[in-house]
Amino acid sequence: MSKSIKEFSLHYDSINESNTFSSGDIVEGRVVLEVTKEIKVDSFFVKLTGDAHVSWTEGSGDDETTYSDHERYFKLKQYFIQESLKKGESEKNTTLVDGETYGPVIMPGSHVFPFRFQLPQQNMPPSFKGFHGWVKYVLTVKLSRPWKSTSSTHTELNFVLRNDGTNDHLLQPQSATQDKKMKLFGSGKMSINVTAEKTGYMQGETIKVFVDIDNSSSRDVKLKYSLRQQQTFIAGRRTKRAYKDIVKETRDRIPSGEKSKFIVDMTLPHDLNVTIENCRILKVQYELKVYLDVSFASDPEVKFPVVILPAEQQCPPWQGPPGGFQPYPPPQPNLVPYPGELPPPPAGLYPNLYDPTVLPYPEAAAGVYPNPNPHAIQPGFQPAPSAPVYDPNQSTKESTPNMPY
């Protein structure tokens, strides 16, 4: 980072306890720029992008081939300072977002640049990082100056699918039976009947499976079950698959000539990746397998598809948890507006700052917020009465605490 730039950091406001975002949500935040001397700027902007990417290599030596593909969902961009020659120009595959603009000179001091984006109302896959690909939603800020290297920083948003509770078909039970007749190394037959309560389960939920076993053979058997994740990566006509065991266990032995009933409980991790079916180049799917382990013979098995759904949000997407309301303070007075004086903000652009009637807490109109963030208080900073203060002396440079990178 240049010696003239003391701090260059990017911050956004959480809207719920899980710090996640979904389609249509508002992403508000601020860029903090502290400079030790006057600087001239060519371009200064923040952007929000959503992308999926897959890549893997097959073969070796002269036969090595890399397969890859990319899918972009959106690119939103808000300029704080834009080169005068490029003002008004459209940018390919980019949605320009209106916001406050400033002149090309930034005076010494600490400055706060607010931004606001709305995530598109479209069917996009959730954030994901797999063996050969990923889905990412990234906030990036870039500052370009004449004859200087570009300053840049970024942070990732955790994007999740909204659990709307409309998947009624996922609530239907699944049931199947498998029989096996012993021919070699034994005689008689065995059967396994498996019933799962439903197909769809939320993160952190427990899968309950009922198993009936009739071992009318001359062999002892063991009950085993597993939940496996399959990741599929697609690049053109090529496909790459990878597997990950989420649960894999062995239960009691069922002796020859006995019948047994089992209830199998599998508690899903709270951070388990949800099923992804809405991405062209990347899929995440799950399979539940219950089977009888028979030595020196094929195993009778029952397989069910399982759909992992996002856990229900703790708060509505438009209302953060208590103490989570953190609108950005207005720009500092030592910014140099361009041209002339700094105009008032467009009506409706940042209503939380300028209209007390739309604040989420009744006390907010008086500048009082429940459970204030002690790290956001700094004596000497004088924001508008309705906005909480911001601490420019925080040591974090790229993101505030508890933020994803």
Side-chain angles (χ1 to χ4, degrees):
M1 186 177 294
S2 170
K3 293 182 179 180
S4 58
I5 298 179
K6 186 176 180 181
E7 179 179 3
F8 186 56
S9 57
L10 173 64
H11 314 263
Y12 68 86
D13 300 326
S14 300
I15 62 172
N16 53 40
E17 292 177 349
S18 55
N19 195 24
T20 58
F21 294 86
S22 299
S23 297
D25 283 345
I26 301 296
V27 181
E28 290 185 300
R30 65 208 68 83
V31 178
V32 178
L33 174 63
E34 184 177 357
V35 294
T36 57
K37 64 180 182 179
E38 177 184 304
I39 64 171
K40 293 184 178 181
V41 177
D42 284 338
S43 177
F44 184 21
F45 64 84
V46 60
K47 66 179 179 179
L48 176 58
T49 55
D51 299 88
H53 182 80
V54 299
S55 178
W56 72 90
T57 300
E58 296 181 6
S60 60
D62 294 338
D63 295 328
E64 184 175 279
T65 304
T66 298
Y67 301 93
S68 64
D69 203 347
H70 192 93
E71 188 169 56
R72 165 149 285 177
Y73 303 109
F74 64 87
K75 181 181 179 182
L76 308 174
K77 197 172 186 180
Q78 178 182 323
Y79 277 97
F80 303 123
I81 300 172
Q82 188 176 15
E83 293 181 72
S84 57
L85 295 177
K86 295 184 178 180
K87 286 185 178 180
E89 290 185 4
S90 61
E91 298 186 32
K92 186 178 179 181
N93 300 322
T94 302
T95 301
L96 294 181
V97 178
D98 291 333
E100 288 294 344
T101 55
Y102 310 93
V105 178
I106 297 180
M107 304 299 290
S110 181
H111 311 279
V112 178
F113 297 85
F115 62 83
R116 184 178 191 268
F117 296 113
Q118 181 172 20
L119 290 165
Q121 287 276 15
Q122 61 191 54
N123 185 22
M124 300 178 292
S127 300
F128 174 75
K129 185 176 182 180
F131 290 103
H132 306 290
W134 46 257
V135 180
K136 292 181 181 179
Y137 297 84
V138 183
L139 274 169
T140 305
V141 60
K142 288 188 177 183
L143 174 69
S144 300
R145 295 182 291 159
W147 311 107
K148 301 286 185 180
S149 59
T150 298
S151 299
S152 176
T153 186
H154 71 276
T155 186
E156 291 185 29
L157 301 182
N158 187 10
F159 183 85
V160 300
L161 300 177
R162 204 181 296 283
N163 188 355
D164 56 12
T166 59
N167 300 310
D168 292 338
H169 67 285
L170 298 180
L171 300 178
Q172 300 300 317
Q174 303 184 84
S175 184
T177 300
Q178 274 290 346
D179 298 320
K180 178 178 179 61
K181 196 171 198 178
M182 298 300 298
K183 295 180 179 179
L184 298 175
F185 307 106
S187 60
K189 68 175 184 178
M190 63 187 69
S191 67
I192 178 172
N193 177 268
V194 183
T195 300
E197 288 184 314
K198 53 186 178 179
T199 302
Y201 299 86
M202 291 189 296
Q203 295 165 311
E205 194 174 355
T206 297
I207 298 177
K208 189 178 290 293
V209 180
F210 302 89
V211 183
D212 287 350
I213 300 171
D214 182 355
N215 184 12
S216 299
S217 74
S218 59
R219 299 283 301 278
D220 293 349
V221 296
K222 287 183 180 180
L223 172 64
K224 293 187 176 182
Y225 54 88
S226 65
L227 179 67
R228 172 177 279 196
Q229 179 193 81
Q230 175 182 284
Q231 301 178 14
T232 304
F233 307 92
I234 305 165
R237 296 183 178 181
R238 303 292 295 191
T239 299
K240 182 76 169 179
R241 290 185 175 87
Y243 299 91
K244 180 181 179 181
D245 286 324
I246 308 302
V247 176
K248 190 173 184 179
E249 294 186 6
T250 300
R251 289 289 292 268
D252 302 339
R253 181 175 62 89
I254 301 94
S256 169
E258 289 193 6
K259 297 180 180 180
S260 298
K261 293 181 181 291
F262 295 90
I263 298 178
V264 173
D265 290 328
M266 289 177 277
T267 300
L268 301 173
H270 289 275
D271 59 350
L272 182 62
N273 295 115
V274 301
T275 297
I276 300 179
E277 295 278 9
N278 59 339
C279 180
R280 177 180 61 84
I281 61 176
L282 185 154
K283 310 290 181 187
V284 177
Q285 298 159 314
Y286 293 87
E287 181 184 75
L288 169 65
K289 183 171 78 169
V290 183
Y291 60 104
L292 298 178
D293 185 12
V294 185
S295 300
F296 309 110
S298 60
D299 299 331
E301 59 184 31
V302 172
K303 294 181 179 180
F304 292 142
V306 170
V307 176
I308 305 300
L309 304 169
E312 292 179 334
Q313 283 90 353
Q314 298 298 315
C315 299
W318 58 87
Q319 179 180 342
F325 177 68
Q326 299 176 358
Y328 39 75
Q332 299 299 291
N334 55 354
L335 289 173
V336 179
Y338 179 82
E341 296 183 356
L342 186 67
L349 185 58
Y350 307 120
N352 288 349
L353 284 178
Y354 303 101
D355 185 1
T357 63
V358 302
L359 294 171
Y361 308 109
E363 303 91 341
V368 179
Y369 299 89
N371 299 327
N373 180 0
H375 302 293
I377 298 176
Q378 187 238 341
F381 187 87
Q382 303 296 329
S386 63
V389 293
Y390 175 76
D391 181 6
N393 292 324
Q394 286 178 318
S395 60
T396 303
K397 296 302 180 184
E398 296 189 5
S399 63
T400 53
N402 300 322
M403 282 190 175
Y405 286 86

